[in-house]
Amino acid sequence: MKLVLLGPPGVGKGTLAVALKDQLGLNHISTGDILRAEMKANTPLGLEARKYVDGGELVPDELVTRLIESRISTPEIYSKGYLLDGFPRTQKQAEDLNEILNKLDQSIDRVICLDASIEIIIERLTGRRLCKNCGELYHVKNKPPQKEGVCDKCANSLYQRADDNEETIKTRMEVYTTSTRPIITYYEKQGKLKKVNADTEASVVLETTLSFLNE
Ligand code: ADP
Ligand code: ZN
């Protein structure tokens, strides 16, 4: 199965992606995670990406599209199926993805579009914490670690993303509205899209999504 996850920042795409990955055995491909790993390692790509990511702007289309193409054209990845999280994010990316898929004789089966109220989104983003080492996601209220600031899984310290502050969140929401939201229509026209209300707990979002995938 090949899936795309759409939705505003902080809506819970990453949380749902990890759950779907575990349930369905898919590869989870998150452009945000890939870019943060490159930034952490200070690779040329990471240094380029940082100019945009920390301020909440999108990195150039060609850069992320190349990252995606190299992954989805790898047999170990496409044979198991995959879940694209954070890509496509612009009309251009959606069209380029379509071309790449045609070339590879692949297609997207379903697009899940999560949505939540702005209050919930801001609460999720400002309370979000991540493990420096393994990337595990936490939330100060909704999913606190057993010991404050420490990862339950690997005991490394937690951090807050540089772009999870109110000012940058505002920019990211604007970027979402202008550049990403239009591609909902693009996938709706293809009859592949399902809107899922993500105002509820993660387990409910997962159940709703799984029942849609089984339709
Ligand atoms: P969010 O919580 O905002 O959904 P992500 O982890 O998906 O965060 O992305 C973080 C940042 O990485 C974005 O704000 C953007 O700068 C960059 N990024 C991720 N995916 C893309 C993409 N498909 N196109 C352009 N930039 C991207
Ligand atoms: Zn950890």
Side-chain angles (χ1 to χ4, degrees):
M1 188 152 33
K2 300 183 181 69
L3 305 175
V4 168
L5 281 187
L6 280 181
V11 76
K13 295 188 297 290
T15 303
L16 177 65
V18 172
L20 286 175
K21 173 194 163 167
D22 292 345
Q23 288 269 335
L24 306 173
L26 303 172
N27 288 292
H28 174 204
I29 308 177
S30 156
T31 41
D33 287 351
I34 298 167
L35 294 171
R36 279 185 291 279
E38 298 280 343
M39 282 163 35
K40 190 177 163 197
N42 284 315
T43 64
L45 182 89
L47 293 173
E48 177 65 17
R50 190 180 292 284
K51 295 186 206 157
Y52 308 92
V53 175
D54 283 351
E57 303 290 346
L58 295 180
V59 306
D61 290 330
E62 308 76 52
L63 199 156
V64 277
T65 303
R66 258 189 287 127
L67 291 176
I68 291 293
E69 183 167 18
S70 75
R71 283 166 178 79
I72 64 175
S73 54
T74 306
E76 300 84 76
I77 293 187
Y78 68 69
S79 59
K80 258 178 57 179
Y82 52 77
L83 180 77
L84 300 181
D85 163 9
F87 182 93
R89 236 180 173 94
T90 63
Q91 182 74 26
K92 173 89 171 83
Q93 290 177 19
E95 286 165 8
D96 288 346
L97 173 63
N98 214 22
E99 245 179 62
I100 293 167
L101 290 170
N102 285 339
K103 218 167 54 188
L104 294 169
D105 207 16
Q106 297 181 22
S107 63
I108 295 296
D109 300 294
R110 292 272 201 272
V111 178
I112 316 290
C113 180
L114 299 180
D115 210 358
S117 67
I118 186 73
E119 292 78 17
I120 290 204
I121 286 176
I122 290 176
E123 209 241 10
R124 284 185 185 158
L125 287 173
T126 50
R128 172 158 72 183
R129 300 292 183 272
L130 285 83
C131 174
K132 271 198 172 111
N133 176 50
C134 73
E136 182 74 6
L137 291 170
Y138 295 91
H139 188 279
V140 291
K141 268 205 238 126
N142 307 338
K143 195 195 168 207
Q146 281 169 8
K147 187 164 172 241
E148 199 188 316
V150 181
C151 179
D152 294 343
K153 288 214 164 153
C154 72
N156 278 277
S157 51
L158 306 186
Y159 77 105
Q160 182 170 28
R161 272 170 50 175
D163 56 350
D164 279 348
N165 62 75
E166 294 229 17
E167 187 55 32
T168 313
I169 291 169
K170 224 178 115 211
T171 310
R172 286 157 66 201
M173 289 305 294
E174 284 162 10
V175 168
Y176 175 75
T177 306
T178 318
S179 306
T180 310
R181 208 151 59 189
I183 66 177
I184 294 177
T185 324
Y186 178 82
Y187 284 116
E188 247 168 357
K189 282 189 189 142
Q190 299 183 11
K192 293 180 175 169
L193 187 116
K194 171 76 173 177
K195 289 188 178 161
V196 175
N197 173 15
D199 270 338
T200 55
E201 304 171 28
S203 60
V204 179
V205 177
L206 175 64
E207 283 314 310
T208 315
T209 306
L210 286 174
S211 61
F212 162 62
L213 296 178
N214 286 325
E215 266 170 24

